[in-house]
Amino acid sequence: MKKSYLIMVATSAMAVNAQKSPEYPKTDKGSVTDTYFDTKVNDPYRWLEDDRSEKTAEWVQKENQVTFDYLAAIPFRNTIKARMEKLWNYEKISAPFKEGNYTYYYKNNGLQNQSVLYRKDLSGKEEVFLDPNTFSKDGTTSLAVVGFSKDGSRVAYSTSEAGSDWNKITILDAVTKKMLEAQLVDVKFSGISWLGNRGFYYSSYEKPKGSELSAKTDQHRLYFHELGKPQKEDRIVFGEKEKRRYVGGEVTEDENYLVISAANSTSGNELYMQDLTKPNSPILPIITGFDTDTDYLYNVGSEVFLTTNLEAPNKRIVVVDPSTAQLKKWHEVIPETENVLTPTIGSGYIFANYMKDAITQVKQFDLNGKLIREIKLPGLGTASGFGGKKQEVQLYYSFTNYITPGTIYSFNPKTGASTIYDRPKIDFNVDDFESTQVFYTSKDGTKVPMIITHKKGVQLDGKNPTILYGYGGFNISLTPAFSIANAVWLEMGGVYAVANLRGGGEYGKKWHDDGTKLKKQNVFDDFIAAAEFLIAKKYTASDFLAIRGGSNGGLLVGATMTQRPDLMKVALPAVGVMDMLRYHTFTAGAGWAYDYGTAEDSKEMFKYLKGYSPVHNVKKGVKYPATLVTTGDHDDRVVPAHSFKFAAELQDKQTGENPVLIRIETNAGHGAGKPVSKTIEEAADIQAFTLYNMGFKSLPKV
């Protein structure tokens, strides 16, 4: 059996910080005060919200100087980075897909900053189609959405610069790869869906006044871009009269219908359809209001298959006729079950992906809802894919879990046979590790699942460095998936635990709703209970526990560490929503109100938000855990001011020597499209900071 790459040595179970708290830059305090109902709230660091000011830029530079000096002084930081680079350096490819006379697929040779889109012609000759690594010198411009016309002769693709949600769209002749016209600019939260070769549908907002990175964007519109015409002449299809925060359009595979989804929040949507076979046909409502989620799945002529949680919290599949879409005429094809349903369509079959305790089960049905087979998966984990056009005779799916790198399988929908299409050649011995699912009890008696991963034979002595990860929001489910950075953590003897908190989608709409608005504290209680379980079962102890989460998970970490600073040694909030009184005033933040509510809703909601808002609950004289806040200076999803203000509060009020640092990635956004080089640097910094502040002094090779 392969020996462990690294052994960690701690000074003692009660290890103290190996490095004293650094001297932080002075952060000026202003005198801004807001009044919510009858309560005045000070906001001394409001000036850090101005991402265009020289003063903010200077603060960022000084904070980064302190942070990177601290990280560079950790003696084993470069050892972790070197191992991460070595482990990362293997070929990764995606499942192939056919467009026109070509087969396309993504491939990364190992350490390329961005994956490259390749293609093969009918003879099997391979060529590079799009290489995002050539889009910018430092790899910070990424490929976002790629949309082909039905015959594969045209392609439009969007690119993101420095991780921004604001994209540009480039249009090519897909055969010659020649650019057909000027780029479309200022495109945000958009798909690309072609109608023949005439043009395509896309979505965006009007460019905001003020900062493009932080100004509010509130009215989304669906446009049709006709090839050969300037962008300023693009026709608004939906969203001019109807004010919606999120609008998307999709042309059906047969090109007979345009499907429009419209929403004001991240949960609940309306659905509309337009018959494209009839000129000037009206846009007809399928379902209006925002109490349920309904999505287009497929159509056979005028029979339209929808996935909905209407009268089915775990979702079901129904068929409607767009011309007579009254609810009483909806026909159920696949009923709701006790497990959450996420279906795909491939080769004219429905593949029902069911989630049982965050683990995937897949069943294949025909279009009449008749069960064809349950698909035998390689193990317990996450399977995704099975999608494809009606004429496809071979489909593909990927399988992964916390110790299994993503493996692609080809699937024959007629016989049900699966064969390995691509298994990555990675320097990681899967047989040395194990994942176990446990169920623990939260504060109110709710049973919550958690998967704990570690080396086989781990000693339950309370001394294992442990990262507890969570999210708990927006109906998002945390299902098992392999991470190279986490693999390095496991190799070093670390424990990695993922809790499936309320607020997520693991058990359907009720599970989600039980972690929203005035029930948001349930999420934090679930996370605290997960930590207490790990400590009680002696996987770890408070001195060796780190909590981590990003975005809504960053809020989770911020709220948990301010409520229970004694529970963990290290806190790692990433790109977090930290100011719960003002989050809805930035970019598309108002769309998160379904989960959070806003401080303007009611006096009760204001007090509840203020009661857990991380920025507003840092108290003078408290010993907070060693904290490494991470964010990106171009994050226009959760603006970096959230993290700036939280770090400033912590640095001002922290008692003791636990460091509070903020690592601000330049030319980076919320996370999507981040170059591999930056991803590795950040992951190495996080793990080095974590272990160093748990008292580990060395990581010798063996």
Side-chain angles (χ1 to χ4, degrees), residues 69-124:
D69 284 350
Y70 181 98
L71 295 170
I74 297 175
F76 47 77
R77 187 264 178 197
N78 289 337
T79 305
I80 295 175
K81 181 189 173 192
R83 176 56 184 154
M84 211 167 281
E85 286 178 335
K86 184 177 180 182
L87 191 59
W88 216 291
N89 194 15
Y90 67 92
E91 184 179 84
K92 309 162 193 71
I93 70 169
S94 73
F97 57 97
K98 294 180 181 178
E99 301 290 351
N101 293 324
Y102 295 92
T103 298
Y104 293 84
Y105 51 95
Y106 293 88
K107 182 168 69 174
N108 191 306
N109 292 334
L111 293 174
Q112 289 175 289
N113 275 324
Q114 304 289 342
S115 293
V116 178
L117 182 56
Y118 286 83
R119 71 179 178 186
K120 290 181 180 178
D121 61 19
L122 297 175
S123 71

Side-chain angles (χ1 to χ4, degrees), residues 468-642:
L468 171 61
Y469 184 87
Y471 187 79
F474 295 91
N475 200 36
I476 291 172
S477 303
L478 296 185
T479 58
F482 184 77
S483 156
I484 301 170
N486 289 342
V488 172
W489 179 258
L490 296 173
E491 284 185 334
M492 295 189 298
V495 174
Y496 185 71
V498 178
N500 296 105
L501 316 172
R502 280 175 284 185
E506 288 86 350
Y507 294 105
K509 184 172 174 56
K510 186 177 187 306
W511 191 256
H512 173 211
D513 287 348
D514 280 351
T516 62
K517 295 189 177 75
L518 296 173
K519 296 180 181 180
K520 187 66 178 175
Q521 184 62 39
N522 285 338
V523 185
F524 312 139
D525 289 342
D526 288 356
F527 202 49
I528 290 167
E532 291 175 335
F533 176 92
L534 293 168
I535 293 168
K537 297 299 182 182
K538 297 197 174 182
Y539 283 96
T540 192
S542 292
D543 282 325
F544 298 105
L545 177 64
I547 59 171
R548 187 177 182 195
S551 196
N552 174 73
L555 162 63
L556 171 70
V557 172
T560 301
M561 66 179 283
T562 51
Q563 291 181 17
R564 286 291 307 277
D566 61 304
L567 191 57
M568 74 294 299
K569 184 64 176 178
V570 178
L572 303 166
V575 293
V577 187
M578 300 299 196
D579 186 340
M580 299 309 297
L581 302 186
R582 287 181 54 75
Y583 78 87
H584 61 292
T585 65
F586 304 114
T587 62
W592 311 336
Y594 182 95
D595 266 58
Y596 298 147
T598 75
E600 298 164 359
D601 289 346
S602 67
K603 187 174 183 179
E604 181 186 26
M605 193 73 249
F606 154 68
K607 286 186 174 181
Y608 192 85
L609 287 168
K610 186 174 181 292
Y612 73 78
S613 176
V615 163
H616 300 93
N617 283 279
V618 180
K619 296 178 174 60
K620 195 80 173 175
V622 175
K623 183 180 179 181
Y624 291 102
T627 304
L628 180 60
V629 180
T630 53
T631 188
D633 68 344
H634 278 65
D635 190 344
D636 48 9
R637 187 85 53 86
V638 179
V639 296
H642 283 281

Side-chain angles (χ1 to χ4, degrees), residues 302-321:
S302 62
E303 285 192 324
V304 178
F305 292 73
L306 305 175
T307 307
T308 184
N309 63 7
L310 176 68
E311 300 174 355
N314 288 341
K315 295 192 176 180
R316 59 181 174 141
I317 296 176
V318 298
V319 173
V320 303
D321 183 329

Side-chain angles (χ1 to χ4, degrees), residues 199-214:
F200 54 86
Y201 295 91
Y202 71 97
S203 307
S204 196
Y205 304 90
E206 287 187 356
K207 195 165 184 177
K209 296 177 181 178
S211 169
E212 188 174 286
L213 295 178
S214 60

Side-chain angles (χ1 to χ4, degrees), residues 210-453:
S211 169
E212 188 174 286
L213 295 178
S214 60
K216 194 171 184 177
T217 48
D218 217 29
Q219 186 168 357
H220 215 199
R221 295 178 175 88
L222 179 67
Y223 294 88
F224 182 76
H225 175 72
E226 188 171 338
L227 290 190
K229 292 189 176 181
Q231 184 179 1
K232 64 182 180 181
E233 295 182 16
D234 288 352
R235 174 170 56 92
I236 298 175
V237 177
F238 188 92
E240 179 72 0
K241 298 177 182 177
E242 316 86 353
K243 185 179 179 181
R244 303 288 184 266
R245 289 196 182 97
Y246 309 110
V247 176
E250 175 187 0
V251 177
T252 58
E253 187 178 331
D254 59 13
E255 298 194 323
N256 287 342
Y257 294 98
L258 170 66
V259 183
I260 300 171
S261 178
N264 278 331
S265 192
T266 49
S267 290
N269 72 295
E270 299 177 320
L271 202 69
Y272 299 85
M273 293 187 73
Q274 182 181 32
D275 188 342
L276 297 175
T277 65
K278 301 174 182 177
N280 302 315
S281 62
I283 295 174
L284 300 175
I286 304 300
I287 186 169
T288 56
F290 306 102
D291 295 330
T292 59
D293 296 281
T294 301
D295 299 304
Y296 167 80
L297 181 63
Y298 191 62
N299 73 291
V300 180
S302 62
E303 285 192 324
V304 178
F305 292 73
L306 305 175
T307 307
T308 184
N309 63 7
L310 176 68
E311 300 174 355
N314 288 341
K315 295 192 176 180
R316 59 181 174 141
I317 296 176
V318 298
V319 173
V320 303
D321 183 329
S323 63
T324 57
Q326 297 95 333
L327 296 184
K328 63 183 178 181
K329 293 189 177 182
W330 289 24
H331 168 62
E332 188 172 80
V333 175
I334 297 179
E336 179 190 25
T337 71
E338 62 181 355
N339 298 316
V340 178
L341 168 66
T342 306
T344 55
I345 284 282
S347 302
Y349 293 98
I350 298 171
F351 292 89
N353 185 317
Y354 290 104
M355 184 166 43
K356 181 175 176 58
D357 300 328
I359 303 297
T360 298
Q361 297 176 339
V362 181
K363 295 181 180 181
Q364 180 182 355
F365 295 87
D366 67 16
L367 295 180
N368 295 315
K370 178 185 176 183
L371 177 65
I372 304 297
R373 61 178 60 88
E374 181 168 353
I375 296 166
K376 183 175 174 56
L377 297 174
L380 297 178
T382 304
S384 59
F386 297 100
K389 298 172 184 175
K390 183 178 180 180
Q391 69 270 21
E392 300 292 349
V393 296
Q394 200 75 15
L395 301 175
Y396 298 89
Y397 69 93
S398 65
F399 177 82
T400 184
N401 56 37
Y402 291 117
I403 58 174
T404 304
T407 301
I408 299 172
Y409 292 80
S410 60
F411 177 79
N412 186 319
K414 296 292 186 185
T415 66
S418 291
T419 56
I420 293 175
Y421 175 78
D422 180 75
R423 173 176 284 162
K425 299 176 179 63
I426 179 173
D427 181 28
F428 179 75
N429 193 341
V430 174
D431 294 333
D432 289 348
F433 304 90
E434 62 182 343
S435 286
T436 305
Q437 186 172 61
V438 300
F439 292 83
Y440 64 91
T441 304
S442 190
K443 184 178 180 179
D444 63 357
T446 299
K447 293 291 185 183
V448 181
M450 175 166 59
I451 296 179
I452 307 170
T453 306

